[in-house]
Amino acid sequence: MNRRQWILGLALVLMQWSCQEQGPTNVIFILVDDLGWNDLSATGSSLHHTPHLDQLLSESTYFSQAYASCPVCSPTRASLLTGKYPTSLGITDWIPGRNPTDRPLLGTEDKHHLDHNEITLAETMKSQGYTTFFAGKWHLGEEGSWPEDHGFDINLGGHHKGSPPGGYYSPYSNPALTDGPEGEYLPKRLTDESIAFLDDQGDDPFLLYLSFYTVHTPIQASRDHVEAAEARARARGIDTLPAIEEEGGGRTVIHQYNTDYASMVDAMDDNIGRLLAHVESLGLDDNTMVVFTSDNGGLSTLLRSWGAAPTSVRPLRGGKGWCYEGGIRVPLIIKPPAKIRVPTTCDVPVISHDFFPTILDYLGESIPDN
């Protein structure tokens, strides 16, 4: 063991000791839909403005080689919650998927819900005394297989749809979320609900799973951020018309250009900043782990007939829905609890179905036998 390894090992021991002194470790898991690996300003974007996430990255471990379990949403979401490969779960496409029958090689017959016999992270943490809260996108089955059926005490917004059925402004047409005032913005509402949950928790340990619908289609500008995004594009000489290259049966956008999409990223960042500031104001920062990631690569490649995708993940190839690296590489930031932190970049490849055992191991909780 060299001196650097010894120092890092000692720091880890001190972090764990500090967590024990503070009591049980809470977990805030922030999952963004379709966010590309380079959609943050700290990870390469010159169009998007993400100061709060950039700050979080500077205080955390940033994983430069993080990969999603699948290039589309439902399989990765199931893997995150169970620690299993999508093929083991029988969910290898978004639910319900397309399953075309006119191709030489056919896809599998996928399940259209997460089986109830699967043990989830929420069920495991709940059995060990944690209150479990879910807000946002679920997309793992019809009613009867919603978050509350898989270990979450509270569900606000999680149902069978993969995109917000009423769009990003109230009325939401969401069976798991009451409408707010007309024009209320969905990411703000989900963050408000998360903050209210924290206020109600007291000293009880918790899992807060904030699963934004952002930045999934429909691409609807955040009214509070779009002017700033447009001004940024002008000031930096960014062409707001998409540059396209052919990609097999699809077309790939090769630069970030869409100011409506940028405004959605900016708004997401603002709301995460509000949430993390509230965690700190409640004195929870020193015993709360924060995980930030995406469910698949950014939406940069679409079939020719579908028009231009809203973002770019270049220099990677492909994007969401494609098994090239652009479809599976995602941003990943983990901020451990405790006052002593060793901000660093980790270049070791990691994958999203390892969150389940890794989080439980860090918490010192037992991992289910399966």
Side-chain angles (χ1 to χ4, degrees):
M1 178 180 290
N2 61 35
R3 183 172 181 272
R4 182 173 180 273
Q5 290 171 322
W6 183 87
I7 291 171
L8 290 173
L10 176 61
L12 178 60
V13 170
L14 290 172
M15 284 193 292
Q16 291 173 333
W17 172 82
S18 178
C19 292
Q20 292 168 358
E21 290 294 303
Q22 293 287 333
T25 299
N26 306 306
V27 177
I28 295 178
F29 198 104
I30 302 171
L31 181 62
V32 185
D33 197 355
D34 293 356
L35 189 73
W37 71 281
N38 57 349
D39 270 338
L40 308 183
S41 44
T43 60
S45 178
S46 59
L47 177 58
H48 308 153
H49 183 59
T50 56
H52 300 101
L53 285 166
D54 297 349
Q55 178 65 32
L56 179 69
L57 186 151
S58 73
E59 300 168 349
S60 308
T61 297
Y62 167 62
F63 292 83
S64 64
Q65 300 288 329
Y67 294 91
S69 299
C70 193
V72 291
C73 53
S74 298
T76 296
R77 291 166 182 274
S79 290
L80 282 170
L81 289 168
T82 62
K84 290 187 174 183
Y85 287 93
T87 49
S88 300
L89 298 166
I91 303 174
T92 62
D93 199 357
W94 58 274
I95 295 174
R98 291 201 306 273
N99 291 324
T101 59
D102 58 348
R103 296 179 180 177
L105 299 177
L106 302 182
T108 60
E109 289 294 326
D110 280 327
K111 296 176 182 177
H112 290 174
H113 67 278
L114 179 62
D115 274 356
H116 289 282
N117 61 359
E118 300 293 348
I119 300 172
T120 68
L121 177 65
E123 288 170 325
T124 304
M125 293 182 68
K126 183 176 179 177
S127 72
Q128 295 170 354
Y130 285 76
T131 304
T132 54
F133 171 91
F134 184 93
K137 173 174 172 173
W138 178 247
H139 203 188
L140 288 174
E142 299 279 350
E143 191 168 5
S145 188
W146 286 3
E148 59 267 39
D149 304 303
H150 291 281
F152 286 97
D153 295 307
I154 301 166
N155 168 34
L156 293 166
H159 63 120
H160 62 287
K161 292 287 188 180
S163 59
Y168 284 96
Y169 291 93
S170 184
Y172 302 120
S173 302
N174 185 322
L177 186 69
T178 59
D179 289 334
E182 185 171 354
E184 179 187 65
Y185 188 52
L186 182 57
K188 181 180 184 301
R189 168 67 178 279
L190 296 176
T191 305
D192 287 345
E193 297 286 2
S194 299
I195 288 172
F197 167 75
L198 292 176
D199 288 338
D200 291 340
Q201 268 310 100
D203 296 328
D204 295 334
F206 60 83
L207 166 65
L208 191 163
Y209 202 103
L210 176 54
S211 177
F212 284 109
Y213 282 93
T214 302
V215 284
H216 196 286
T217 54
I219 303 304
Q220 291 180 311
S222 166
R223 296 164 188 164
D224 293 335
H225 297 83
V226 68
E227 288 186 10
E230 292 169 349
R232 207 159 50 241
R234 288 193 298 270
R236 297 174 183 177
I238 296 172
D239 187 353
T240 56
L241 294 176
I244 302 287
E245 286 187 359
E246 299 296 312
E247 181 72 77
R251 302 165 77 235
T252 294
V253 173
I254 63 173
H255 74 119
Q256 293 181 351
Y257 72 98
N258 190 318
T259 53
D260 286 352
Y261 180 92
S263 74
M264 295 172 72
V265 174
D266 295 359
M268 171 204 64
D269 179 79
D270 273 358
N271 281 289
I272 291 173
R274 288 200 304 124
L275 176 65
L276 297 181
H278 198 72
V279 168
E280 188 170 357
S281 74
L282 294 175
L284 297 172
D285 187 53
D286 287 337
N287 65 318
T288 299
M289 168 190 282
V290 178
V291 180
F292 172 87
T293 192
S294 176
D295 61 349
N296 47 246
L299 183 58
S300 64
T301 305
L302 290 174
L303 297 176
R304 290 190 180 97
S305 60
W306 291 7
T311 193
S312 174
V313 297
R314 286 298 178 96
L316 305 184
R317 185 178 181 184
K320 174 188 176 178
W322 294 62
C323 289
Y324 298 121
E325 189 165 0
I328 55 175
R329 189 163 162 189
V330 294
L332 173 58
I333 301 168
I334 300 180
K335 181 179 180 180
K339 296 177 181 177
I340 303 172
R341 294 194 174 99
V342 185
T344 187
T345 295
C346 177
D347 297 322
V348 176
V350 295
I351 196 161
S352 47
H353 43 268
D354 280 339
F355 282 119
F356 183 105
T358 301
I359 290 172
L360 291 181
D361 183 63
Y362 194 94
L363 299 181
E365 305 289 358
S366 59
I367 298 171
D369 290 339
N370 71 339

